[in-house]
Amino acid sequence: MSDSIKASLVACPTCQKKSPWSKENPDRPFCSPRCKLIDLGAWASESYSIPQQTSEEDEIFSEDLVIDPNKSFL
């Protein structure tokens, strides 16, 4: 059997169209370069984000982070 026959079909993360997960599909897991660019644009515009959980430790140590206006970080 060739790779194209054994290849699993996966849903494109952008349009949900089924596309083969194989070496013949250089855009995997996307179905096309267009869907790949749409996803990249979503990351660039910060449409995707990872939720941040704060803890008591963050609140305790944030008091230590006093900004000194006389210091330059450049």
Side-chain angles (χ1 to χ4, degrees):
M1 282 190 194
S2 69
D3 285 339
S4 61
I5 294 172
K6 292 190 289 185
S8 298
L9 291 178
V10 296
C12 173
T14 304
C15 70
Q16 303 304 311
K17 177 183 169 187
K18 298 288 184 181
S19 60
W21 184 273
S22 68
K23 292 179 182 177
E24 286 84 29
N25 180 10
D27 300 309
R28 65 183 179 267
F30 303 98
C31 66
S32 66
R34 179 181 178 270
C35 282
K36 189 188 288 188
L37 285 175
I38 290 171
D39 186 72
L40 178 62
W43 279 105
S45 68
E46 298 181 1
S47 295
Y48 299 136
S49 64
I50 298 171
Q52 181 179 357
Q53 296 179 353
T54 57
S55 68
E56 283 185 34
E57 187 176 277
D58 291 337
E59 293 174 17
I60 293 169
F61 290 112
S62 65
E63 296 170 359
D64 296 338
L65 300 174
V66 178
I67 298 174
D68 184 354
N70 296 323
K71 286 188 178 178
S72 173
F73 293 102
L74 298 178

